[in-house]
Amino acid sequence: MRSITIVAGIVLAFSPLLVSAQGRMGFALGTHLPNASCKLESDYEADMIAIKKNSGSNLVRMYSSADCECVPKVLAAAKAQGFQVLLGVWPDDKVSMTLDKYAVQTGIDGYLDQVFGVSVGSETMYRKTFTGPQLLEAINDVRAVLPKGVKVGTADSWNKFADGTADAVIKGGVDFLLANGFAYWQAQPITNATRTFFDDIQQALAHIQTVSGSLNAIEFWVGETGWPTDGGTNYGAAIASTKNAQTYYDDAICGILAYGVNTFVFEAFDEPQKPAAIGDSGAEGDERHWGVMTSDRTPKFPLTC
């Protein structure tokens, strides 16, 4: 294991909450090639081979299951390569909800061992698309069409789990919750990024455990975290660079994994075809250079923790 710089005060906050085993790591994965065409099964296999070879991980996270008809292709690739996949349903409007739900319902037959679970929504409470009760209704709607035993949950910004917005979801019987945390999008300098990230995730986890009344009734994950590399845009004091991305990976991502927190890294590969993202201040930020590997699957720095 590489040397990890730990922020002492924040780590102490995790200590009574978590087991000592290493957390599991996964990677966010897109559905398109750099030329914007849809990935084929062989492309997903190549992605998975690169991820496992360079990081040891065998888990990826998807978003919209209807996008590029990805479910049968990515699950077939996962079966061939010994991976699991967190599938996604985008419930923000009736059309996407219907299409994604159908894609999952019809696409997982024969691949249940490859399905890690289904995440219904990605930051829907953060964007104020849904209230907690409305999101829970969407989650239960999706759960109703899935085989028994398939885990169902949601992903949202860490602060929506910490401030009570998600309490109905926490109390509603979900199997897992994914808290997204980006010190970069909070305009933090790299020198304070790990502290900020650890503090954010600790707040989310502590509130989930308090509301659920259990330390482990709900499986907890960091749903997304990462840092942009060379070619990305700066965001306030957060400077995009491969050097800073490596520091964040070593200290924040490997650090929180070492304390038993399961974590999805955003993201596996650069996506040069993507549009700009919008940060907390409303300013645009580049999302084309967030990969820990280039779009041709070359690692930018060592990825084993």
Side-chain angles (χ1 to χ4, degrees):
M1 180 182 294
R2 68 180 68 184
S3 175
I4 299 170
T5 301
I6 298 297
V7 182
I10 303 303
V11 167
L12 289 175
F14 281 117
S15 298
L17 302 176
L18 301 169
V19 297
S20 59
Q22 178 87 356
R24 186 179 182 187
M25 179 166 59
F27 289 85
L29 189 62
T31 56
H32 292 82
L33 294 169
N35 64 7
S37 63
C38 290
K39 288 181 179 178
L40 304 175
E41 180 182 333
S42 58
D43 297 311
Y44 288 116
E45 283 206 48
D47 288 346
M48 292 172 185
I49 289 169
I51 289 169
K52 190 168 187 178
K53 175 183 176 181
N54 291 292
S55 72
S57 173
N58 63 350
L59 175 66
V60 293
R61 177 187 174 187
M62 311 295 287
Y63 291 86
S64 169
S65 290
D67 188 28
C68 284
E69 299 179 343
C70 66
V71 173
K73 292 181 284 189
V74 73
L75 290 180
K79 188 171 186 176
Q81 296 301 324
F83 266 65
Q84 286 190 305
V85 182
L86 175 62
L87 298 172
V89 170
W90 201 260
D92 296 46
D93 59 71
K94 290 183 179 180
V95 173
S96 62
M97 175 69 159
T98 299
L99 291 174
D100 278 357
K101 185 169 69 170
Y102 181 77
V104 172
Q105 182 182 7
T106 59
I108 64 176
D109 187 39
Y111 295 109
L112 291 183
D113 288 343
Q114 285 70 51
V115 177
F116 173 83
V118 179
S119 178
V120 182
S122 180
E123 298 190 345
T124 58
M125 292 179 289
Y126 174 75
R127 294 194 304 273
K128 299 183 179 180
T129 305
F130 290 136
T131 63
Q134 289 169 335
L135 178 56
L136 179 61
E137 183 178 350
I139 292 169
N140 288 335
D141 187 16
V142 173
R143 187 193 293 277
V145 304
L146 297 176
K148 186 177 180 180
V150 175
K151 295 187 292 186
V152 184
T154 193
D156 221 296
S157 179
W158 68 271
N159 55 315
K160 298 297 103 179
F161 294 116
D163 68 8
T165 302
D167 282 3
V169 177
I170 297 169
K171 297 174 184 177
V174 295
D175 300 302
F176 63 82
L177 292 172
L178 282 66
N180 299 347
F182 287 94
Y184 167 85
W185 287 120
Q186 292 170 269
Q188 293 296 309
I190 193 62
T191 52
N192 197 47
T194 295
R195 176 180 292 276
T196 298
F197 171 62
F198 274 38
D199 184 54
D200 293 346
I201 298 304
Q202 186 275 331
Q203 289 183 56
L205 176 58
H207 188 81
I208 289 168
Q209 291 175 333
T210 297
V211 172
S212 68
S214 171
L215 295 181
N216 56 12
I218 299 173
E219 186 176 342
F220 179 81
W221 284 72
V222 173
E224 292 179 347
T225 195
W227 197 275
T229 61
D230 291 347
T233 52
N234 301 333
Y235 192 73
I239 306 302
S241 74
T242 301
K243 180 180 178 181
N244 284 347
Q246 181 173 5
T247 296
Y248 189 80
Y249 192 95
D250 289 351
D251 294 351
I253 294 173
C254 291
I256 208 162
L257 285 166
Y259 276 83
V261 183
N262 303 316
T263 299
F264 281 101
V265 178
F266 186 85
E267 60 183 331
F269 308 104
D270 284 344
E271 296 188 84
Q273 78 284 354
K274 288 183 74 172
I278 306 299
D280 289 350
S281 71
E284 288 191 353
D286 179 88
E287 272 210 347
R288 300 173 181 88
H289 299 88
W290 282 75
V292 295
M293 288 180 267
T294 62
S295 58
D296 66 0
R297 306 185 181 94
T298 301
K300 299 178 182 180
F301 43 80
L303 301 179
T304 53
C305 290

